[in-house]
Amino acid sequence: MTAPVAMFGAALRRAARGDGASLILLDRQGALMREYDAGTWSADRRAGDRSLVDRCRKYTIDLGCGPGRLAAALAGAGRPVLGVDISPQAVRFARLRGVPALLADALGPLPDEGRWHSALLADGNIGIGGDPVRLLRRTGRLLRPGGRLLVEVDPPGHGSWQGDVALSDGRSVSDAFAWAFVGADQIAAIAAAAGLRVLESWTEAGRWFVDLRG
C-alpha cells in the first residue's frame, strides 16, 4: 500500500512533466467513485475559478490548495493569500508559483485563526477528513465576523456521502482514508449543523458553489 499523500504528490510530478496523471477514487469494495486529472489542479486556471476568485475578500486562506492554482490567481489579483496542504509536493509547487503555502492539516492548528476574511474549500475539498460538519465548523472558526467560506459542492441530485476511500494510479492502490461528498441540495442542512448558513449559491462552467456565513 502507498500513502495517499505520496500517490497524490507523484501524480502532481507527472502532471508537471506533461505525462498522464489520472487518479481514481475507490470505495472500500474497490468500485470506482470518481476519476481525477492532476493536470487540472496544476493548470493556470480552471473554468469556473473566476467566480470564486472574484468573491474572495482581502485575506484568504485556501484549504487543500494543491499546487496553488487558485492561490496563484488570488495573488495575481493582488489579494493576500495563504495556501494550506498536507502534501509536501503540492506545497513545493505552490511555492514555485510564488504563493505562500503552509504544510499543514486543514483540521489542525493554523495561523491567524479568527482573522481571515475568506476561506476556500474548492476542487472537492469539502471532503477533507470525511466529516463535512466538523470541517465546516472548524473552518468557520478561522474567519473573522462576517467572513466568507466559499465551498465547491457536487451538482444537485448527487446527494451526500462519507466513508473510507482509497486512491489508485492504475498501478497500485493507496491506504484507506476518510472522505466525503456533499451535493448542492444537501449543503444547507450540513452547514446549519455546523452553525453556518447559505448566503448565496451559484453555478459556473458546470461547477456548483456556495457562500457560507456564520
Side-chain angles (χ1 to χ4, degrees):
M1 290 289 185
T2 303
V5 169
M7 188 172 288
F8 176 67
L12 293 180
R13 289 193 296 274
R14 292 197 303 275
R17 295 194 301 265
D19 297 336
S22 63
L23 287 173
I24 298 169
L25 195 69
L26 306 172
D27 67 14
R28 293 188 68 174
Q29 287 71 46
L32 186 149
M33 299 187 76
R34 301 284 170 96
E35 187 167 0
Y36 303 105
D37 179 2
T40 300
W41 301 323
S42 301
D44 290 334
R45 188 67 64 93
R46 181 183 173 195
D49 283 354
R50 181 175 297 278
S51 65
L52 279 176
V53 171
D54 288 348
R55 284 170 171 81
C56 290
R57 295 292 178 266
K58 297 184 179 178
Y59 294 89
T60 298
I61 187 165
D62 181 6
L63 301 175
C65 68
R69 186 188 80 249
L70 284 166
L74 284 163
R79 298 174 192 172
V81 61
L82 175 68
V84 176
D85 208 286
I86 61 169
S87 164
Q89 189 65 67
V91 169
R92 175 176 172 269
F93 279 133
R95 290 173 177 169
L96 286 173
R97 292 181 187 237
V99 173
L102 179 68
L103 182 64
D105 185 344
L107 292 165
L110 292 171
D112 296 323
E113 185 161 333
R115 298 176 62 186
W116 295 96
H117 295 83
S118 304
L120 286 175
L121 286 168
D123 293 330
N125 285 327
I126 184 65
I128 290 172
D131 185 342
V133 172
R134 178 188 176 209
L135 177 63
L136 293 178
R137 185 180 295 125
R138 189 276 172 277
T139 308
R141 293 197 298 268
L142 294 173
L143 297 170
R144 60 184 293 148
R148 300 180 168 197
L149 173 47
L150 303 171
V151 182
E152 184 169 0
V153 292
D154 284 348
H158 282 233
S160 297
W161 179 93
Q162 56 192 84
D164 289 339
V165 296
L167 285 174
S168 173
D169 60 5
R171 296 181 294 275
S172 60
V173 177
S174 77
D175 298 323
F177 60 99
W179 200 251
F181 306 110
V182 177
D185 45 0
Q186 304 283 319
I187 186 62
I190 290 171
L196 302 168
R197 60 190 170 88
V198 177
L199 185 73
E200 179 190 11
S201 61
W202 73 98
T203 182
E204 182 179 348
R207 299 166 68 189
W208 290 76
F209 309 95
V210 292
D211 178 350
L212 304 180
R213 308 288 178 97

